[in-house]
Amino acid sequence: MPQQHAEGFVEAVLVVVADIPPGQVATYGDVAALLGSRGARAVGQVMARSGGDVPWWRVVRAGGRPPAGHADRARQHYLDEGTPLRPTSDDDGYRIDLAACRWQA
C-alpha cells in the first residue's frame, strides 16, 4: 500500500471510530466495511498502532469479544457507558451484546 494511501486509511479509521457513540460498538469488520474495505485486520493494526486517542474500546472483535489483551481495561469503559455485556466463562469473562448495541452508521 503506498504511504499516502496508508496514511489516508489510518485517518479514515480513526475518524470512523471517533464517531461511534458511547454505549455502542462496531466490529473491526464493520469499520472496514464503512470504508469500502474488507480489511478488518488492517483496521485492527491501525487501532493497535494509532488508536489510543480515540475510544478504542468501542471497536470489538467478531462475536462481541473485547479488544485482544484489553478486556480488563475495556470493561470499565463499557460499564461507565452502559454498554450491554453478557458473562462468559472464557478468559475475557464477558462479551458485548452486539444485538443490543451494534452501531449502525
Side-chain angles (χ1 to χ4, degrees):
M1 181 180 302
Q3 183 68 23
Q4 186 175 8
H5 186 264
E7 290 173 6
F9 183 76
V10 169
E11 182 63 28
V13 167
L14 297 177
V15 166
V16 167
V17 173
D19 284 347
I20 302 171
Q24 295 185 19
V25 298
T27 66
Y28 294 100
D30 293 340
V31 174
L34 282 170
L35 299 175
S37 170
R38 294 178 61 208
R41 287 179 190 239
V43 170
Q45 290 175 353
V46 169
M47 294 305 296
R49 294 180 181 143
S50 306
D53 292 333
V54 295
W56 54 267
W57 58 92
R58 296 182 192 151
V59 183
V60 300
R61 294 181 283 169
R65 296 182 68 198
H70 299 286
D72 290 337
R73 277 183 56 211
R75 182 192 301 263
Q76 191 57 53
H77 290 288
Y78 300 135
L79 295 174
D80 291 346
E81 294 182 358
T83 307
L85 305 177
R86 295 182 288 111
T88 62
S89 59
D90 62 14
D91 288 343
D92 294 334
Y94 67 95
R95 292 282 181 278
I96 293 89
D97 186 347
L98 287 177
C101 65
R102 193 175 209 157
W103 180 53
Q104 302 296 319

